[in-house]
Amino acid sequence: MTSRIHIARPAAAQSYSSDPHGLSNSRSPSGFRSVNPSEADSFQEKLRAYSTQIEDYIEIYSQPLKPHLPSIGRFLIVVTFLEDAWRIMTQWSDQLWYLQKHRKFPWGIAHFFLAFNVITMIVASGAVITKRHTEYATMALLSVVIIQGFGYGLIFDLTFFLRNLSVIGGLFMVFSDSMVNRTKSFAGLPSISETDRKKYFLLAGRVLLIFLFLGFIIQGSWSIGRVFVSIIGLVACVMVAVGFKAKWSAAFLVVILSGFNVIANNFWSVHSAHPTRDFLKYDFFQTLSIVGGLLLLVNMGPGGLSVDEKKKVY
């Protein structure tokens, strides 16, 4: 985490027989099959028909991977914490020197700070992966993000701030995924449904996840390709935040961020003694965590507080 300090549906379907010959598969027909885009009455209907068709293709071809998406997403979200814990352990003396020399930590406090971060990140990450006490584990990892921000003096760094907002969004997605449909009752108060709470955490997670891409937009030198990718990515980010075609836009961002991560944060191509390697590795694993949160969004959907869900009602 922050301890990376280098010391050196369209129109309703018309009535028809869904399976006149008894040969249908188990998957129900989707909306786009009832609309011929070439015969649609308006551009909006054509666009709606084509977008629904794309969603259908994504749904069909992602079926083999879909059962594994929650596990993959959880692992990717915590991989940056695991890598950070490993790096602290392998650079223990350098970390102590930085905290004591530059951050003015007393001798014992510096040791306790590092030990607390390492133990918390390893234990909580393992709990998230194994789905044990996930709510407590996500809160512990959230505390690590905050503590490290203040401990290493990076809380007011804009790049750090935007990236860690996205990591927090990923943790909110894990928290939402761990919630079950139960109701907590308190004397004299209305019952509070976990489903209702889940909607709000999903909304917060969706919004926070996009801050990594916003950080990418405001940094670096501009080119025609960068402008094009930024505009397309920004549209996808807004779609994720408001929950419009959220699964499609989240899947699109997964592809974009994954490609960008491999190309721009290729730390393996930098010599181990070079100071840039640590920063590239930091960016690489944090981007993996945001990709994990987007995968959970693809799996769970945007939740009740979204345009997609409101369209089902109206």
Side-chain angles (χ1 to χ4, degrees), residues 208-284:
L208 291 175
L209 277 173
I210 69 174
F211 278 96
L212 172 70
F213 199 86
L214 297 181
F216 162 76
I217 293 177
I218 66 176
Q219 288 182 331
S221 58
W222 288 95
S223 64
I224 297 178
R226 183 182 178 89
V227 171
F228 178 77
V229 173
S230 297
I231 294 175
I232 299 299
L234 185 59
V235 172
C237 286
V238 173
M239 292 171 67
V240 167
V242 302
F244 176 67
K245 303 293 183 181
K247 289 187 176 183
W248 183 90
S249 52
F252 175 78
L253 285 176
V254 166
V255 175
I256 293 295
L257 287 177
S258 298
F260 168 80
N261 202 25
V262 173
I263 296 173
N265 300 323
N266 54 341
F267 66 90
W268 52 87
S269 66
V270 180
H271 193 276
S272 59
H274 199 283
T276 307
R277 181 183 176 91
D278 255 4
F279 293 105
L280 289 176
K281 187 184 291 186
Y282 167 72
D283 292 344
F284 180 83

Side-chain angles (χ1 to χ4, degrees), residues 104-134:
K104 309 302 180 182
F105 275 46
W107 181 85
I109 300 298
H111 287 74
F112 174 79
F113 178 84
L114 293 178
F116 171 80
N117 277 276
V118 170
I119 295 173
T120 302
M121 287 189 290
I122 293 177
V123 174
S125 296
V128 169
I129 295 173
T130 58
K131 296 185 178 182
R132 295 180 180 273
H133 308 290
T134 306

Side-chain angles (χ1 to χ4, degrees), residues 1-3 84 113 117 121 144-152:
M1 298 301 319
T2 61
S3 56
D84 194 50
F113 178 84
N117 277 276
M121 287 189 290
V144 166
V145 174
I146 298 173
I147 291 172
Q148 286 194 357
F150 284 102
Y152 287 95

Side-chain angles (χ1 to χ4, degrees), residues 5-57:
I5 305 297
H6 185 84
I7 313 296
R9 301 186 184 257
Q14 297 177 354
S15 177
Y16 67 98
S17 175
S18 61
D19 186 21
H21 305 293
L23 299 175
S24 68
N25 56 29
S26 58
R27 192 170 180 276
S28 59
S30 61
F32 87 88
R33 294 183 177 86
S34 64
V35 179
N36 183 347
S38 62
E39 298 175 359
D41 295 333
S42 66
F43 173 78
Q44 291 82 0
E45 289 187 6
K46 290 182 181 180
L47 184 62
R48 188 181 301 116
Y50 282 125
S51 64
T52 307
Q53 184 175 0
I54 293 174
E55 288 181 338
D56 258 25
Y57 285 137

